[in-house]
Amino acid sequence: MAVSLLTRQVSDLCLGKPALKSLSISSTIGDALLALKRLGENFISIWNCDHHHYNLSAVDRGFKECQCVSKVCMVNIICFLCKEEHLSNPATALQTPLSVLIPKSPCLVRHLEPNASLLDAIDLIQEGAQNLVIPLESSSKTSSRKKLVQGTLSNISTLHNNNRQYCWLTQEDIIRYLLNSIGLFCPTAANPINSLDIIDTRNKMALHYDDPASSALPFISRSLEIQASVAIVDSDGKLVGEISPFTLNYCDEDVAAAIATLSAGDLLAYVDCGGPPEDLVQLVKKRLQERNLEQALELVEEYSSGASISTSYSSSSSDDEFGMGRSARWMGYSARVVRRSEAIVCYPWSSLVAVMIQALSRRVSYVWVVDDDGTLAGIVSFAGMMKVFRERSRTMGEGCLN
């Protein structure tokens, strides 16, 4: 039964999914920032073709094929703005071509046909894919909505070559699907994670509480790439919080100034629920003044005064892997009942199914592993969990042949 479950077509997981919003790679970083805020999305897909001319073939536009080449989120933009030369002139930095944010690795986003199996999808994720782009079944009922989206945001489209629409298939979608049939994988699902060899110690990225938050930037970029997080530990190596893409995706671009000026511990408080404390806002302003970063100072003052106007469309996607959509950020910090810098943890002896439930309940793709005394031991990711199910299905399949 478990083997047949994993041979299901990925189209089964795409039922009811919204069409993927997209930008052309020729857009600017400012275009992406505006799209993320207006659409209430955590990520927006980036394509190698210009959707202003979606009625033309990809060949006519100079491309072999119109394809999704990457995705961009608020974390990408924040990390970009954290650089000193960009903080000195954020407005100019936002006019930079979006292509500079596209990672060199082409495997983060992969295309997959709807008749591919769930095993095919898991294999691509094991190779490093975060999101799979799946064609949606065409429907005449959605044509009016297509026109509405294109008319409202002229540089954002859900249409691609041959008027096709696509959706994301995320790691969270697959884990949730497997959890719904977890009984088929017993007793493996009930085994402790330390017996399944999925506690990752190599990607245990950690920063001391008093370290400059800016020193976390390489870790933040890496955690976004592998869908993990940056641990904040005390002098004894005990986990006290985290700086995660999930957290930063709810922030505005002014948090780049906080990362550039605060300690890691202060940044935890700055991005926590309820908004940044006034004393930390004043500290950020003071340090920006000391470094003559006047335009970054103006940006912080704009947001701290409430002068910035953000458009709070409700999120059109329920399957973003880093949260419920940026609209939750505009609905108020009460949208989440836990502190946003509070890390979700488990123990080496926690069962696989328990860790799956923990991650899904918080809508994150990882869970920190700590020892009895709170010392950080490693991290468990969705990709690691899928590896267990993949190996289990292979074993069961071989058993059926013997």
Side-chain angles (χ1 to χ4, degrees):
M1 288 293 292
V3 176
S4 63
L5 177 74
L6 293 178
T7 56
R8 296 274 182 87
Q9 293 186 354
V10 293
S11 57
D12 292 345
L13 280 69
C14 298
L15 296 175
K17 275 185 167 289
L20 199 57
K21 308 293 193 309
S22 56
L23 279 177
S24 168
I25 198 171
S26 61
S27 303
T28 67
I29 294 176
D31 292 331
L33 176 62
L34 183 63
L36 288 167
K37 289 190 173 185
R38 286 189 173 181
L39 293 173
E41 300 283 356
N42 281 341
F43 290 86
I44 190 161
S45 63
I46 309 301
W47 293 67
N48 65 358
C49 44
D50 187 352
H51 295 94
H52 283 107
H53 306 289
Y54 63 89
N55 56 313
L56 300 179
S57 69
V59 174
D60 291 335
R61 284 171 276 165
F63 300 104
K64 292 182 178 179
E65 187 178 359
C66 185
Q67 285 193 327
C68 179
V69 294
S70 191
K71 60 179 182 176
V72 166
C73 67
M74 200 68 187
V75 183
N76 297 116
I77 298 173
I78 289 171
C79 289
F80 177 79
L81 291 176
C82 281
K83 297 178 181 178
E84 190 87 8
E85 63 270 25
H86 299 148
L87 272 179
S88 63
N89 197 335
T92 300
L94 290 175
Q95 299 308 309
T96 304
L98 190 55
S99 57
V100 303
L101 298 185
I102 305 304
K104 295 179 180 179
S105 173
C107 65
L108 294 183
V109 173
R110 301 284 293 271
H111 282 254
L112 193 63
E113 289 302 314
N115 60 353
S117 71
L118 187 57
L119 280 175
D120 293 330
I122 292 175
D123 286 342
L124 288 179
I125 289 171
Q126 294 300 307
E127 294 173 8
Q130 290 185 5
N131 293 63
L132 304 176
V133 182
I134 314 294
L136 288 173
E137 295 294 330
S138 60
S139 173
S140 59
K141 295 180 181 180
T142 61
S143 60
S144 60
R145 279 170 41 193
K146 296 174 188 175
K147 295 177 181 178
L148 178 61
V149 170
Q150 290 168 346
T152 305
L153 296 168
S154 60
N155 63 334
I156 302 172
S157 177
T158 62
L159 284 171
H160 306 281
N161 55 315
N162 299 323
N163 287 343
R164 297 193 78 176
Q165 289 186 313
Y166 297 79
C167 71
W168 285 134
L169 186 63
T170 69
Q171 295 183 16
E172 179 187 332
D173 294 323
I174 296 175
I175 290 295
R176 193 176 297 278
Y177 184 78
L178 292 173
L179 181 63
N180 288 337
S181 303
I182 199 66
L184 299 178
F185 295 94
C186 286
T188 301
N191 289 342
I193 56 175
N194 60 1
S195 70
L196 300 173
D197 193 30
I198 60 172
I199 300 177
D200 186 356
T201 57
R202 288 188 310 162
N203 292 304
K204 186 178 65 174
M205 296 171 287
L207 209 64
H208 190 270
Y209 189 87
D210 294 322
D211 288 340
S214 58
S215 62
L217 284 171
F219 289 160
I220 294 173
S221 297
R222 174 62 178 161
S223 68
L224 184 61
E225 182 180 333
I226 64 173
Q227 296 198 305
S229 185
V230 182
I232 305 300
V233 299
D234 62 16
S235 56
D236 297 321
K238 296 181 180 179
L239 185 66
V240 296
E242 66 173 351
I243 302 171
S244 72
F246 177 84
T247 300
L248 295 179
N249 256 349
Y250 284 88
C251 298
D252 288 304
E253 62 271 25
D254 65 309
V255 80
I259 295 174
T261 56
L262 296 178
S263 68
D266 284 341
L267 182 64
L268 295 185
Y270 193 94
V271 299
D272 225 347
C273 286
E278 184 60 27
D279 61 329
L280 288 181
V281 173
Q282 295 305 318
L283 180 58
V284 170
K285 291 180 181 180
K286 177 184 176 183
R287 291 178 176 173
L288 290 173
Q289 285 178 324
E290 292 172 350
R291 292 164 60 175
N292 295 318
L293 297 172
E294 296 299 329
Q295 293 195 34
L297 176 60
E298 291 176 6
L299 183 65
V300 172
E301 289 178 337
E302 179 184 358
Y303 277 97
S304 62
S305 66
S308 176
I309 299 174
S310 55
T311 307
S312 56
Y313 292 104
S314 59
S315 176
S316 61
S317 175
S318 61
D319 58 340
D320 288 332
E321 65 271 42
F322 280 116
M324 300 172 288
R326 283 185 54 81
S327 58
R329 190 243 191 273
W330 312 121
M331 289 158 53
Y333 292 95
S334 60
R336 297 190 65 237
V337 296
V338 292
R339 293 175 54 210
R340 294 201 289 166
S341 59
E342 180 184 351
I344 178 172
V345 300
C346 66
Y347 298 95
W349 56 87
S350 298
S351 68
L352 175 60
V353 65
V355 176
M356 291 172 66
I357 293 172
Q358 277 185 286
L360 289 172
S361 66
R362 282 281 297 273
R363 306 216 57 188
V364 292
S365 55
Y366 60 88
V367 177
W368 293 108
V369 183
V370 297
D371 293 325
D372 272 335
D373 61 355
T375 303
L376 183 62
I379 192 169
V380 175
S381 66
F382 278 164
M385 299 176 196
M386 283 185 227
K387 182 180 178 181
V388 172
F389 293 110
R390 182 70 177 89
E391 292 175 350
R392 175 63 175 163
S393 68
R394 184 184 292 115
T395 302
M396 294 174 70
E398 292 172 353
C400 292
L401 294 175
N402 294 332

